Amino acid sequence: MGDNVAAVNLIDKRKRLFILDVFERLIKQKPLGTVGGVITLIFLLTGIFASVIAPAGVNDVTSEVLRPSSTAHLFGTDHLGRDVFSRVVYGARISMVVGLSAAALSIVVSLIIGIPSGYFGGKLDMIVQRFVDAWMFFPDIVRLMLLMSIVGYGMTPVILMIAVGMGIPGSRIIRGAVMTAKENMYIHAAQSIGCSTWRIFVRHVLPNIMAPIVTLFSIRVPNAILAEASLSFLGFGIPPPAPSWGSMLTGGERDNVLLAPMTIVWPGLALTIVVYGVNIFGDALRDLLDPSLRGGVGRFGIGDKIKKKEVIS
Amino acid sequence: MRTYIIRRLLLTIPTLWVASLLVFFAIRLVPGSIVDLMASEMTFFTNTDRTIIEERLGFDVPSYVQYFRWMGFIPDKDGKFNGLLQGNLGISLWRNAPVTEEIAARWPITLELGFMALIIAQIIALPIGVFSAIRQDSAGDFAARSFAILCIAVPNFWLGTLVVVMPAIWWGWSPPLMLIRFGDDPVGNIKMFLLPAIVLGMSLSGITMRMTRNMMLEVLRQDYIRTAWSKGLRERAVLIRHALKNALIPVIITVGIQVPLVIGGTVIIERIFALPGMGGLIVDALQTRDYTIVSGVLLIFGAGVAVINLLIDLTYGYVDPRIHYK
């Protein structure tokens, strides 16, 4: 009993140290990634505490229309007299919720399609992959427009459809990883001692494809944020008056842009910074967490050697 | 090689068929049918009118019969085969013109925009990617990598809107939002497409830039590069003739993957720059439930991607003799 507790404590300690270790290496080795991490953190905090940060409500209409930036309205006001800063802050919440949940769900979709397809192979794989092929023939945004027309506009549909729309192409990556993983001896061992297929999936395949899953997730979050904004911009996403960063670039804001140009600058700038930050943060984490990428060219220092022409020696 | 092409083409057939199923039935799942939309535009509307409209549009038969007719497997009401297999995509439900004609008037615009954007993307991406790799971990490399991610991060609809709007505010000039046909004025045509193509190309270049950098880094470690250095070749010869040439092979694949991205981008860019291409057509058609147009445009998009993917696969074998087609 006592031993068990000690073992658990040890595991806890190691886990904590691992996270600290990653954190330390992030700051030391990845200055860009650290910047991305800070941006991501600010973005998440803004999303969570939007109601505390925003000085005005999302749709508080006032008579102060199309004002430039001032102390009262940090980013000015739009054509309905709404405070643009508050709307951008609330927009972070929409982007955060859509980005995280759509990315997570898209992984689930990818796993549901990719694991059986890669594991069983054969006819099932052949048929499933033709559907995935056909799906991938169409541009992302066009597929999503079509899906959104079918299920109707709004927050939940956007999340679900982005998850489906991105999950199906993502299944290719999962399928590939599963096909490699299933050739391992431990999978054969599990099969021969009579493990159920489900058990093999969950206990043996899944843990061994964590690296591509993490990678895929870190790519999907900024992708989903951008996809939602693009859809809302085209009028197929979250309809106004919800403060989506995409829809804030069209409609009344766009019509009055010559009078108040900054109203369309802020939401786009916020979107750019967030997608930028999440991207470089994800990149850095991927490098740090994936051992197969470690100790590559960077450590080898080939760049310096080329500069000094040391390669010849 | 020949067997490979034949096999590839044969594999494309079931995929295209599944794609035709998807494009035909997916749009029919959209709630609020076109008949309802047409009805809402008429003041007096009876059920007889509904039957007449349905019959005129060919909706009076079950949807699978509609599909077979659309595909050209079974004859239309007039007894003629008039479907996809006969090179016909049906009649636009609102515009009352053949879909093929509608598309024919618009595809050159989308193609030109997409093609120019792809070229511009490579012009931006390749030099920066190579520079970034040979000066790895230098300040320039950091700047180049940041720029690459920035290209990916900047939403093209925002950049496009700014490009249209901001010059008007600053200098009282805005890019011309009208179409100049290539036949009328080739220079004016290129000039008109340049801005939208740069906006679209920027967002594409980020991916290629990163890919080029990674591939260059990998190739620069190879033995043959060491040999090239020790032969006393000039830096330029080593980098361009020995390293870049090999590093570019996987980059070609990236360009192939980007083709759907380019098409998706043209939908947005065409809207912002008011270009009458296929993107605008499909957005309108989706909103007005013009089923035949949506299916037709989607099918053309899909077929375009399929053809380009095939071409990319073949180019891959051409530029990399190590690849053998089986």
Side-chain angles (χ1 to χ4, degrees):
Chain A
M1 192 65 194
D3 282 354
N4 274 346
V5 173
V8 167
N9 280 342
L10 199 66
I11 290 168
D12 275 355
K13 210 174 168 187
R14 276 183 54 196
K15 259 189 190 159
R16 200 175 58 83
L17 283 177
F18 176 68
I19 290 169
L20 278 180
D21 174 53
V22 168
F23 187 65
E24 204 182 305
R25 276 169 42 216
L26 178 74
I27 291 175
K28 270 189 192 155
Q29 297 169 12
K30 306 272 173 190
L32 266 182
T34 315
V35 173
V38 172
I39 293 174
T40 311
L41 192 68
I42 294 174
F43 164 60
L44 291 178
L45 291 177
T46 312
I48 295 167
F49 298 108
S51 45
V52 184
I53 298 169
V58 189
N59 289 312
D60 289 356
V61 179
T62 62
S63 58
E64 294 177 36
V65 179
L66 297 169
R67 292 288 161 84
S69 298
S70 63
T71 40
H73 301 289
L74 209 53
F75 290 175
T77 58
D78 66 3
H79 60 292
L80 295 175
R82 295 174 296 191
D83 183 41
V84 175
F85 177 69
S86 305
R87 287 178 67 75
V88 170
V89 167
Y90 274 102
R93 179 175 283 178
I94 291 185
S95 283
M96 178 186 80
V97 172
V98 172
L100 292 178
S101 48
L105 280 175
S106 87
I107 300 294
V108 175
V109 173
S110 298
L111 290 177
I112 291 173
I113 301 172
I115 294 185
S117 186
Y119 184 80
F120 295 116
K123 271 202 185 112
L124 176 88
D125 185 45
M126 178 72 191
I127 294 167
V128 169
Q129 288 313 310
R130 291 293 78 69
F131 273 92
V132 176
D133 269 346
W135 183 261
M136 285 166 70
F137 268 1
F138 304 111
D140 257 347
I141 189 79
V142 177
R143 287 191 301 237
L144 286 173
M145 274 161 42
L146 184 61
L147 287 175
M148 288 306 292
S149 305
I150 295 171
V151 295
Y153 310 142
M155 181 99 159
T156 321
V158 161
I159 293 174
L160 293 177
M161 290 308 109
I162 293 179
V164 173
M166 290 181 164
I168 294 176
S171 70
R172 266 291 156 80
I173 292 162
I174 301 295
R175 168 180 172 264
V178 171
M179 283 167 81
T180 320
K182 81 167 177 185
E183 293 310 321
N184 282 322
M185 208 45 99
Y186 52 79
I187 302 275
H188 293 304
Q191 284 164 342
S192 36
I193 58 171
C195 283
S196 70
T197 311
W198 178 249
R199 191 184 161 84
I200 294 177
F201 282 177
V202 175
R203 299 297 297 269
H204 301 282
V205 174
L206 203 55
N208 285 293
I209 55 170
M210 269 333 264
I213 290 177
V214 170
T215 309
L216 204 54
F217 181 74
S218 72
I219 296 170
R220 286 303 186 231
V221 173
N223 279 358
I225 292 175
L226 265 184
E228 181 273 318
S230 309
L231 281 175
S232 298
F233 175 79
L234 288 169
F236 288 86
I238 304 174
S244 158
W245 286 341
S247 63
M248 285 169 79
L249 299 177
T250 54
E253 286 90 339
R254 175 72 179 81
D255 297 339
N256 294 300
V257 70
L258 292 178
L259 299 171
M262 293 312 274
T263 47
I264 65 156
V265 171
W266 296 120
L269 197 62
L271 185 59
T272 307
I273 293 173
V274 165
V275 173
Y276 179 79
V278 177
N279 257 321
I280 47 179
F281 180 55
D283 264 12
L285 274 191
R286 221 174 300 150
D287 287 357
L288 291 176
L289 294 178
D290 192 344
S292 65
L293 296 174
R294 220 177 281 162
V297 199
R299 296 278 178 83
F300 194 66
I302 192 92
D304 295 333
K305 289 190 180 172
I306 288 174
K307 254 184 282 176
K308 295 175 202 153
K309 301 270 167 73
E310 270 173 28
V311 177
I312 306 160
S313 59
Chain B
M1 183 78 175
R2 189 179 295 153
T3 37
Y4 174 79
I5 297 178
I6 293 170
R7 226 178 56 115
R8 257 308 297 262
L9 284 175
L10 286 179
L11 262 179
T12 313
I13 292 170
T15 315
L16 274 178
W17 176 66
V18 173
S20 83
L21 279 175
L22 279 180
V23 301
F24 187 84
F25 287 105
I27 177 67
R28 276 160 179 78
L29 293 173
V30 175
S33 80
I34 183 159
V35 182
D36 295 333
L37 269 180
M38 285 181 165
S40 65
E41 292 199 343
M42 295 182 201
T43 351
F44 301 104
F45 191 74
T46 60
N47 277 335
T48 340
D49 293 333
R50 174 175 287 270
T51 343
I52 292 170
I53 293 181
E54 280 181 350
E55 202 181 314
R56 191 168 61 79
L57 300 179
F59 291 162
D60 50 339
V61 288
S63 54
Y64 65 90
V65 178
Q66 291 176 33
Y67 173 73
F68 287 138
R69 280 183 179 165
W70 182 71
M71 284 295 285
F73 291 151
I74 59 170
D76 271 351
K77 266 168 287 187
D78 54 3
K80 281 187 205 144
F81 288 91
N82 203 6
L84 188 58
L85 293 182
Q86 286 77 32
N88 210 323
L89 289 167
I91 309 274
S92 161
L93 304 180
W94 283 101
R95 295 156 196 264
N96 224 351
V99 175
T100 38
E101 268 178 30
E102 292 280 336
I103 291 175
R106 288 154 179 273
W107 70 263
I109 296 167
T110 304
L111 187 71
E112 187 175 354
L113 176 61
F115 190 66
M116 274 179 74
L118 262 181
I119 291 182
I120 289 172
Q122 311 317 313
I123 293 175
I124 304 175
L126 293 182
I128 298 181
V130 171
F131 169 83
S132 188
I134 56 180
R135 299 272 181 275
Q136 195 193 8
D137 292 332
S138 68
D141 179 30
F142 272 113
R145 274 158 67 194
S146 309
F147 178 66
I149 303 172
L150 198 66
C151 284
I152 300 174
V154 176
N156 48 19
F157 57 88
W158 183 56
L159 193 61
T161 313
L162 289 185
V163 166
V164 172
V165 165
M166 285 304 162
I169 293 165
W170 291 333
W171 309 302
W173 174 88
S174 63
L177 294 182
M178 51 178 268
L179 183 71
I180 306 166
R181 298 254 169 218
F182 188 77
D184 301 339
D185 177 8
V187 180
N189 170 278
I190 302 279
K191 265 190 193 161
M192 180 204 69
F193 272 113
L194 202 57
L195 258 183
I198 289 175
V199 171
L200 184 54
M202 278 273 285
S203 56
L204 300 171
S205 65
I207 303 168
T208 319
M209 231 183 279
R210 287 162 56 113
M211 190 73 181
T212 312
R213 177 178 181 273
N214 290 347
M215 285 302 127
M216 274 300 272
L217 284 178
E218 207 172 304
V219 169
L220 283 175
R221 293 163 79 193
Q222 302 291 329
D223 287 341
Y224 55 81
I225 297 296
R226 193 191 305 257
T227 313
W229 281 121
S230 38
K231 276 196 299 188
L233 286 181
R234 280 171 304 140
E235 189 173 4
R236 230 180 80 188
V238 177
L239 290 180
I240 293 181
R241 214 178 314 148
H242 292 258
L244 185 63
K245 221 175 153 189
N246 284 294
L248 276 187
I249 296 167
V251 174
I252 294 173
I253 288 269
T254 331
V255 176
I257 295 169
Q258 282 180 343
V259 169
L261 223 65
V262 178
I263 299 175
T266 58
V267 174
I268 293 172
I269 298 293
E270 278 172 14
R271 192 181 162 95
I272 294 169
F273 287 88
L275 294 168
M278 306 232 291
L281 190 64
I282 197 172
V283 172
D284 284 349
L286 268 173
Q287 275 158 354
T288 55
R289 310 280 181 263
D290 199 330
Y291 300 152
T292 42
I293 294 249
V294 174
S295 305
V297 174
L298 281 177
L299 209 63
I300 299 288
F301 280 169
V305 173
V307 168
I308 292 171
N309 277 347
L310 180 67
L311 288 180
I312 293 280
D313 265 17
L314 297 178
T315 329
Y316 204 55
Y318 177 73
V319 293
D320 189 353
R322 285 168 297 185
I323 292 176
H324 291 289
Y325 294 109
K326 274 182 275 184

